[in-house]
Amino acid sequence: MERSSGILMHITSLPSPFGVGDLGPGAYAFVDFLEKSKQKFWQVLPLNVTNSMYGNSPYSSISAFAGDPIFISPELLVEEGWLKKTELKSQFQFSNDTVKYTEVRMYKTMLFDIAFKRFYEKRKNVKGYAEFCSEHSHWLEDFALFVVLKQMLPEGCWNSWDRGLMLREINSVNAACQKFEKKI
């Protein structure tokens, strides 16, 4: 192997006007910088969903497969037509030095809800959507249900849910899937 060098830097460290680095223009500019400086590698920390209860550590996640939505770029959602540029205005004052995950998640969730409403009606005609869902069905459906149940059930932790859901009894799971279909 030829001698080479690279950089270890997590996506969260990229510059962004949205409180945390994401996979938008800042990431593309960084890759261009790496190429110009003849770097061969960009090592990142895991990109999975984090939890504030565990300090938002990328090594403590509720999924081995799901990427963290905070890495979705609002700017690219504008380019794709799912958001309008005027909708990117925030009531939060994001720091350039630290990530305030709670505020970032609240802000980006608000944006994603707007984008989702536009997407939902067109989803069957969006190129790649059905293929993605099919290709990742071995984890995606269960993960989506789990996340929605965590948000919607007042009991919080899964081991305090209704016994049928806690034990994944088919009737309880099917009922929850029907009840929260759109959220899932």
Side-chain angles (χ1 to χ4, degrees):
M1 183 174 180
E2 189 177 314
R3 186 174 178 157
S4 56
S5 65
I7 293 177
L8 166 63
M9 184 184 77
H10 194 43
I11 302 294
T12 55
S13 298
L14 291 168
S16 167
F18 306 107
V20 67
D22 59 35
L23 294 168
Y28 285 89
F30 186 64
V31 168
D32 290 342
F33 163 77
L34 291 175
E35 182 187 30
K36 285 177 187 166
S37 57
K38 302 202 182 319
Q39 299 299 305
K40 299 290 184 192
F41 305 102
W42 177 11
Q43 182 177 350
V44 297
L45 303 179
L47 303 175
N48 47 7
V49 181
T50 63
N51 186 320
S52 61
M53 187 168 29
Y54 302 110
N56 292 290
S57 169
Y59 296 104
S60 181
S61 179
I62 59 173
S63 175
F65 302 106
D68 197 327
I70 67 171
F71 298 132
I72 297 172
S73 167
E75 292 158 308
L76 295 184
L77 290 175
V78 169
E79 283 183 27
E80 293 290 324
W82 302 118
L83 290 174
K84 296 176 180 148
K85 193 169 182 92
T86 57
E87 293 167 329
L88 300 184
K89 301 221 184 307
S90 173
Q91 70 271 19
F92 297 107
Q93 295 290 349
F94 295 119
S95 169
N96 289 328
D97 301 324
T98 58
V99 176
K100 298 195 176 183
Y101 285 92
T102 301
E103 288 86 357
V104 168
R105 288 190 193 286
M106 287 173 52
Y107 170 68
K108 286 198 168 187
T109 298
M110 177 202 65
L111 293 177
F112 299 155
D113 287 346
I114 294 167
F116 174 74
K117 287 176 186 164
R118 293 189 180 114
F119 171 83
Y120 188 73
E121 295 303 318
K122 299 176 183 179
R123 72 190 181 284
K124 290 185 168 91
N125 298 320
V126 173
K127 185 180 179 194
Y129 173 71
E131 292 84 10
F132 177 85
C133 291
S134 176
E135 185 178 325
H136 297 277
S137 64
H138 65 280
W139 67 269
L140 183 59
E141 294 164 11
D142 286 336
F143 175 73
L145 174 62
F146 178 73
V147 169
V148 168
L149 290 175
K150 279 180 55 94
Q151 291 172 352
M152 302 307 290
L153 296 179
E155 295 85 20
C157 190
W158 69 270
N159 62 4
S160 62
W161 293 348
D162 171 76
R163 183 170 173 74
L165 284 174
M166 186 173 66
L167 298 178
R168 295 189 40 80
E169 293 172 358
I170 194 71
N171 290 339
S172 296
V173 169
N174 287 343
C177 286
Q178 281 183 325
K179 181 176 181 179
F180 301 118
E181 179 181 8
K182 191 172 181 182
K183 273 233 173 256
I184 291 170

